Amino acid sequence: MKRSDFGDDFTWGVASAAFQIEGAPSADGKAPSIWDELTRTGKIAGEGGDQGIDFYNRYPEDIEMIKDLGFGANRISLSWPRLMGTGRERLNPKGADFYDRVIDATLEAGMEPWVTVHHWDIPLALWQEGGWTRRGIVEDFARFAEVCAERFGDRVKKWMVFNEPASVAGHLVLGLYGRKGLHPNTTLRSVHHINLACAEAGRRMRAALPEDAEIGTTNVMSVAYPYEPTDERTARRKRAIEALAIDMHLDPAGGLGYPFGANRLLNLMKRHIEDGDLESARFEYDFMGVQCYGPLVALRKLPVVGAVPTMTVPGAEARVSSAIGIPQDADALLWTFRKYANHPVAKRMVVTEGGFGGQDRLEPDGRVRDDIRIWVYRRNLEAVLAAKAEGINVDGYFAWSYADNVEWVLGRSPRFGIVYTDYDNDYRRIPKDSAKWFQRLLTTDAGVD
Ligand code: GAL
């Protein structure tokens, strides 16, 4: 496999998110986010919620290494409470300075900053007002997005509005943010508000950004196994699961409304839809960020809204499952490309995250042998090539993640990085075998086997 197989215009990047890497939860005027509160109340396994991987201080070294590995793009996210305190405050100049420095260092390294406006770390104060269940959040979020576009739009040309609404829905269903989330009604109401918020944010950003800026967003995107059902019952179940886990987050922006016909549970959504909402929820993105960590499964009934099931898919590949329990099967990615190739929500797709969470070990010889991760990336990239050969427009791949970081409630384990974070030794960064594999792929003519 060679870099040239993907074409000159293909974007190669690494991805991360503010809470997972920055640390410095109260530095320079930052207010707490819901994730700082989960850290404070002990909901994050082990330790680390407060420290991240100290990207707040070590970003120059990290950006240098990302460049050395051969990547051309660095995806980060902006922390709302770092930039706007409790959520509706004026821009915090020190918080904005931090992102200025990161963006400038990325550009100076010859890489392109790709910026996610929101990757789950909503200000705690807004959460306490009702979070995504409160309709007023639509305006609050749109204003935040607009402020970000105004401040960084002179240098950032690639934007993603919101990372994985489906995961936020999943967190609500699991009661992670408190018992209030436990009713499907609350989740669906929040999902509707997130759809409205993203579209409104997209419009404000488009008005504030120069013409050459591109506005995308990212979603959990996958298909349910079996990929080609042979009986009508399984096909119906597959549609019902995909509607609830994926399509309700994509279809409204594409002007398709909600997939009510596919899943009766979605009827609960109707009471939250006001006149004109389906029109307001439309927004044509320049690209859709695909984040597929494995297939959904249509073989059994799904008990909850929005949560991604993690049962084993039959077949050899599926026997490898990530440390968060997701079966690995790159065919899910290929079928996802096929399903969404002509979806009206965006003209092209970029894999804005892909990767593997494992229990990597730093060995005495200083190496981290993460063969499974290399295998996962190779299979993912083969799926990208297969899609391109079918004429499907996929033009970028971002590895999740550059370095091991805080995997939300799971804390420091599993490790998702291609670079090992040595938490016991001053957070040293040590490229794993997979980082060297990417480096060979991206910087040598011979590529990788
Ligand atoms: C995604 C999420 C990332 C990261 C990744 C690995 O759903 O956007 O922040 O945690 O999963 O599990």
Side-chain angles (χ1 to χ4, degrees), residues 279-299:
E279 196 48 41
S280 310
R282 293 178 75 147
F283 182 74
E284 198 183 324
Y285 292 101
D286 295 309
F287 64 89
M288 181 48 63
V290 177
Q291 309 195 157
C292 174
Y293 285 88
L296 312 171
V297 179
L299 298 174

Side-chain angles (χ1 to χ4, degrees), residues 17 20 119-120 163-164 167 220 291 293 324 353 400 406-408 416:
Q20 294 178 276
H119 200 127
W120 307 352
N163 184 73
E164 294 188 353
S167 298
V220 174
Q291 309 195 157
Y293 285 88
I324 53 174
E353 280 185 29
W400 182 275
V406 182
E407 178 55 20
W408 306 106
F416 269 90

Side-chain angles (χ1 to χ4, degrees), residues 43-64:
K43 302 266 167 46
I44 298 200
E47 48 181 344
D50 280 342
Q51 294 91 353
I53 57 168
D54 194 28
F55 182 77
Y56 198 72
N57 297 305
R58 291 169 203 240
Y59 69 89
E61 169 197 342
D62 284 337
I63 289 169
E64 233 2 81

Side-chain angles (χ1 to χ4, degrees), residues 216-228:
T217 196
T218 82
N219 269 288
V220 174
M221 282 170 73
S222 187
V223 286
Y225 183 90
Y227 308 123
E228 295 179 288

Side-chain angles (χ1 to χ4, degrees), residues 118-380:
H118 184 66
H119 200 127
W120 307 352
D121 48 353
I122 185 171
L124 179 61
L126 287 184
W127 188 261
Q128 286 164 340
E129 284 181 27
W132 298 104
T133 64
R134 185 180 62 89
R135 207 172 153 101
I137 196 77
V138 174
E139 172 56 30
D140 295 338
F141 180 68
R143 178 65 192 139
F144 167 53
E146 186 174 30
V147 166
C148 295
E150 285 165 356
R151 171 72 186 216
F152 307 111
D154 56 336
R155 287 153 293 157
V156 176
K157 302 297 172 199
K158 300 294 194 310
W159 291 88
M160 289 142 289
V161 177
F162 197 115
N163 184 73
E164 294 188 353
S167 298
V168 173
H171 297 160
L172 279 160
V173 168
L174 296 171
L176 185 62
Y177 297 139
R179 293 194 58 76
K180 260 202 303 192
L182 290 173
H183 196 278
N185 214 355
T186 314
T187 304
L188 292 171
R189 184 181 170 85
S190 302
V191 166
H192 183 53
H193 292 160
I194 292 172
N195 280 327
L196 291 171
C198 288
E200 183 58 19
R203 283 186 287 275
R204 302 270 184 100
M205 290 169 71
R206 195 151 273 159
L209 289 169
E211 267 202 359
D212 58 347
E214 293 182 14
I215 304 172
T217 196
T218 82
N219 269 288
V220 174
M221 282 170 73
S222 187
V223 286
Y225 183 90
Y227 308 123
E228 295 179 288
T230 48
D231 64 285
E232 188 39 40
R233 197 155 166 263
T234 311
R236 256 203 322 276
R237 187 169 284 173
K238 179 175 159 74
R239 276 197 300 278
I241 288 169
E242 290 174 2
L244 211 55
I246 319 277
D247 296 329
M248 71 174 174
H249 305 286
L250 288 168
D251 288 0
L256 302 175
Y258 288 101
F260 292 121
N263 193 317
R264 256 183 293 155
L265 200 54
L266 270 174
N267 286 326
L268 285 175
M269 181 81 99
K270 288 185 177 157
R271 69 182 74 166
H272 307 299
I273 304 177
E274 297 183 7
D275 280 354
D277 275 6
L278 292 181
E279 196 48 41
S280 310
R282 293 178 75 147
F283 182 74
E284 198 183 324
Y285 292 101
D286 295 309
F287 64 89
M288 181 48 63
V290 177
Q291 309 195 157
C292 174
Y293 285 88
L296 312 171
V297 179
L299 298 174
R300 283 198 225 162
K301 260 197 169 164
L302 247 194
V304 282
V305 184
V308 178
T310 57
M311 292 159 262
T312 313
V313 172
E317 285 204 348
R319 286 189 213 118
V320 180
S321 132
S322 78
I324 53 174
I326 301 178
Q328 297 296 310
D329 183 14
D331 281 350
L333 182 58
L334 180 54
W335 283 96
T336 298
F337 291 141
R338 289 175 178 151
K339 177 171 175 189
Y340 294 96
N342 296 310
H343 194 284
V345 74
K347 294 180 212 66
R348 57 179 235 269
M349 291 180 272
V350 175
V351 179
T352 40
E353 280 185 29
F356 178 79
Q359 314 287 1
D360 306 293
R361 274 189 317 127
L362 176 60
E363 299 195 17
D365 64 358
R367 257 176 79 183
V368 179
R369 294 170 167 79
D370 57 341
D371 297 352
I372 295 179
R373 185 170 292 103
I374 294 175
W375 173 80
V376 167
Y377 278 121
R378 185 201 306 278
R379 293 285 295 121
N380 268 248

Side-chain angles (χ1 to χ4, degrees), residues 10-146:
F10 196 83
T11 301
W12 293 96
V14 290
S16 63
F19 170 74
Q20 294 178 276
I21 62 169
E22 287 176 4
S26 52
D28 299 327
K30 180 179 170 295
S33 76
I34 180 76
W35 284 94
D36 297 319
E37 179 66 3
L38 293 172
T39 303
R40 194 186 64 79
T41 52
K43 302 266 167 46
I44 298 200
E47 48 181 344
D50 280 342
Q51 294 91 353
I53 57 168
D54 194 28
F55 182 77
Y56 198 72
N57 297 305
R58 291 169 203 240
Y59 69 89
E61 169 197 342
D62 284 337
I63 289 169
E64 233 2 81
M65 190 181 275
I66 295 167
K67 173 196 168 181
D68 286 347
L69 293 177
F71 293 96
N74 181 25
R75 176 180 169 208
I76 57 163
S77 80
L78 304 173
S79 157
W80 189 347
R82 198 179 287 295
L83 286 171
M84 292 175 77
T86 49
R88 287 187 288 265
E89 294 174 42
R90 293 171 56 134
L91 186 70
N92 165 18
K94 288 193 174 157
D97 280 354
F98 166 65
Y99 292 113
D100 279 340
R101 293 196 300 276
V102 172
I103 289 165
D104 291 345
T106 302
L107 289 165
E108 276 157 29
M111 295 189 292
E112 202 177 16
W114 283 54
V115 172
T116 318
V117 174
H118 184 66
H119 200 127
W120 307 352
D121 48 353
I122 185 171
L124 179 61
L126 287 184
W127 188 261
Q128 286 164 340
E129 284 181 27
W132 298 104
T133 64
R134 185 180 62 89
R135 207 172 153 101
I137 196 77
V138 174
E139 172 56 30
D140 295 338
F141 180 68
R143 178 65 192 139
F144 167 53
E146 186 174 30

